[in-house]
Amino acid sequence: SLATVTGFENCKLTTITNEYFMNTAITSIEIPDKVTSIGNYAFSYCSDLTSIEIPASVESIGNGAFRISSNLLLLVFGY
């Protein structure tokens, strides 16, 4: 099972693609500052997701990116 997502420090990821984490057991994530876009439904149906930190580098967030992520309590933009 997936919980807190870590280990992005040296990652070259620039896009979180459509439906990438959709319907997973992810609980929290700090998106790396190299990421510039979050795809459609990337975190949708993540009922365990409670916090996400999105850096200022993210220029676009797709449709329904957090759809039905009903336990999301903390959403931080531009850290």
Side-chain angles (χ1 to χ4, degrees):
S1 71
L2 189 61
T4 302
V5 178
T6 60
F8 280 128
E9 295 82 17
N10 297 313
C11 184
K12 295 182 181 178
L13 179 74
T14 59
T15 300
I16 295 177
T17 57
N18 293 346
E19 302 175 3
Y20 192 82
F21 288 103
M22 184 177 180
N23 202 28
T24 63
I26 184 174
T27 59
S28 66
I29 186 170
E30 181 179 323
I31 296 174
D33 60 7
K34 293 178 179 88
V35 172
T36 59
S37 65
I38 297 172
N40 297 334
Y41 307 102
F43 296 95
S44 64
Y45 299 96
C46 292
S47 59
D48 296 327
L49 183 62
T50 59
S51 69
I52 185 167
E53 295 182 42
I54 301 172
S57 61
V58 173
E59 299 171 353
S60 66
I61 297 176
N63 293 328
F66 305 102
R67 184 174 188 214
I68 320 271
S69 291
S70 56
N71 290 316
L72 189 58
L73 301 173
L74 179 64
L75 185 59
V76 179
F77 288 102
Y79 71 89

